[in-house]
């Protein structure tokens, strides 16, 4: 099943299957994708399900990818501390090794530190042995920084195959994706991004945001001009306006059962 995030085309041979998959994705539309997901999830999610949301009624998970970032992460941690909010940071192991102080500060502040890969390659394009080796190496590198086991993994771009899913599970990682995407890689005002994020997420949902943007070989290097810390502040304010509060994925898990989805995409 193809899940919900847009990508621009590729003229490479490896990009052709992705182009076909995204064409089918676009033709289905939101309603069609929800229908397909509901049908596929019934038999497959208990077996190959990635965490996508929870049954919590008054909280959502705030997740931030691609960090840590030298400039954004310290200010973001200050904001979250001032608001008393825990979040889940899906970090890149190589970047975490360069800024272990920021990773340790995340942990000291009560946030969840999870894996987003060693760098930002699509694990879905790898063979099973390659994916297993890649994930083992990335997990070990991140655990050297955290000093504790890393439980969750979010595949870069949300790209996942059956073999990469199995490799993650064998590596001892729970795959966590999302239920709401503000598409904060598209440049516009921070207020618009915040509004889109708040309107997209439902109670118990997992919201995808980025503290920085890693270059994408298919889309190029996306650049945005809005203040990401102010954007997150707007998200927190908007959630309060809806009677919701933000927490980490682990925070959701403490309150309600996590919901899985058979999430596979190029």
């Amino acid at each position: 099943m193809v899940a919900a995030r847009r990508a621009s085309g590729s003229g490479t041979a490896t990009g052709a299957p992705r182009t076909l998959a995204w064409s089918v994705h676009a033709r289905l539309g939101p309603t069609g994708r929800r229908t397909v997901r509901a049908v596929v999830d019934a038999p497959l999610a208990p077996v190959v399900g990635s965490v996508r949301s929870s049954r919590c009624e008054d909280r959502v998970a705030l997740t931030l990818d691609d960090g840590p970032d030298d400039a954004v992460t310290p200010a973001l941690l200050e904001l979250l501390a001032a608001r008393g909010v825990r979040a889940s940071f899906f970090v890149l192991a190589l970047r975490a090794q360069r800024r272990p102080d920021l990773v340790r500060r995340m942990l000291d502040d009560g946030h969840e530190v999870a894996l987003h890969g060693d760098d930002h390659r699509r694990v879905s394009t790898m063979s099973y042995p390659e994916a297993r080796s890649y994930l083992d190496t990335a997990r070990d590198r991140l655990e050297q920084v955290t000093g504790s086991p890393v439980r969750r993994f979010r595949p870069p771009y949300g790209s996942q195959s059956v073999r990469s899913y199995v490799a993650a599970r064998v590596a001892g990682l729970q795959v966590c994706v999302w239920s709401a995407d503000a598409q904060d890689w598209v440049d516009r005002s921070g207020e618009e991004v915040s509004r889109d994020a708040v309107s997209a997420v439902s109670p118990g949902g997992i919201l995808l945001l980025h503290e920085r943007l890693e270059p994408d070989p298919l889309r190029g290097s996306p650049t945005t001009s809005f203040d990401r810390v102010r954007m997150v502040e707007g998200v927190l304010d908007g959630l309060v306006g809806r009677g919701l509060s933000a927490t980490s994925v682990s925070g959701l898990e403490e309150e309600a059962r996590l919901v899985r989805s058979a999430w596979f995409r190029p």
Side-chain angles (χ1 to χ4, degrees):
M1 182 186 67
V2 177
R5 191 177 179 188
R6 295 198 307 255
S8 55
S10 168
T12 66
T14 55
R18 294 193 196 104
T19 302
L20 176 60
W22 286 116
S23 177
V24 173
H25 167 274
R27 287 177 179 275
L28 283 171
T31 301
R33 291 194 293 271
R34 282 193 295 269
T35 301
V36 171
R37 182 177 295 116
V39 172
V40 172
D41 278 354
L44 293 184
V47 181
V48 289
S50 303
V51 171
R52 191 167 186 270
S53 60
S54 79
R55 301 295 186 192
C56 188
E57 296 182 353
D58 60 356
R59 307 183 91 181
V60 303
L62 181 69
T63 70
L64 296 125
D65 287 9
D66 291 8
D69 180 85
D70 293 346
V72 174
T73 303
L76 185 56
L77 290 172
E78 291 290 344
L79 168 66
L80 296 175
R83 294 295 189 95
V85 171
R86 290 185 297 162
S88 292
F89 288 85
F90 287 86
V91 303
L92 299 173
L94 291 176
R95 295 191 65 84
Q97 285 187 318
R98 291 199 289 268
R99 290 303 307 266
D101 56 315
L102 292 179
V103 175
R104 287 193 287 268
R105 183 176 171 188
M106 291 172 186
L107 294 169
D108 289 344
D109 287 356
H111 301 295
E112 179 177 25
V113 174
L115 180 65
H116 195 38
D118 207 16
D119 40 28
H120 206 261
R121 282 177 285 167
R122 282 177 170 81
V123 188
S124 61
T125 64
M126 301 178 188
S127 67
Y128 173 79
E130 289 171 336
R132 178 65 197 280
S133 175
Y134 174 84
L135 291 170
D136 281 343
T137 298
R139 184 205 60 223
D140 290 348
R141 280 181 174 152
L142 183 54
E143 288 180 348
Q144 288 172 12
V145 176
T146 64
S148 58
V150 173
R151 294 179 55 206
R152 302 190 202 277
F153 165 63
R154 171 171 288 162
Y157 312 105
S159 296
Q160 182 166 255
S161 64
V162 173
R163 61 181 177 270
S164 69
Y165 172 84
V166 173
R169 297 298 292 137
V170 172
L173 296 165
Q174 181 185 67
V175 180
C176 179
V177 285
W178 59 85
S179 61
D181 177 5
Q183 295 187 352
D184 61 351
W185 41 269
V186 177
D187 196 22
R188 56 207 191 277
S189 72
E191 290 77 10
E192 289 179 280
V193 179
S194 300
R195 185 171 61 248
D196 291 346
V198 172
S199 63
V201 73
S202 301
I206 296 175
L207 176 61
L208 169 67
L209 296 172
H210 295 80
E211 54 186 309
R212 61 179 293 277
L213 294 173
E214 189 72 9
D216 180 353
L218 294 184
R219 278 203 305 265
S221 299
T223 57
T224 57
S225 56
F226 59 85
D227 184 321
R228 290 188 173 269
V229 178
R230 292 279 303 273
M231 178 270 288
V232 172
E233 184 175 23
V235 170
L236 297 177
D237 289 341
L239 291 174
V240 170
R242 289 186 54 191
L244 299 170
S245 60
T247 187
S248 62
V249 178
S250 292
L252 286 185
E253 190 175 30
E254 291 170 1
E255 297 196 13
R257 181 174 66 86
L258 295 176
V259 177
R260 299 173 183 273
S261 177
W263 174 292
F264 299 102
R265 57 184 290 179

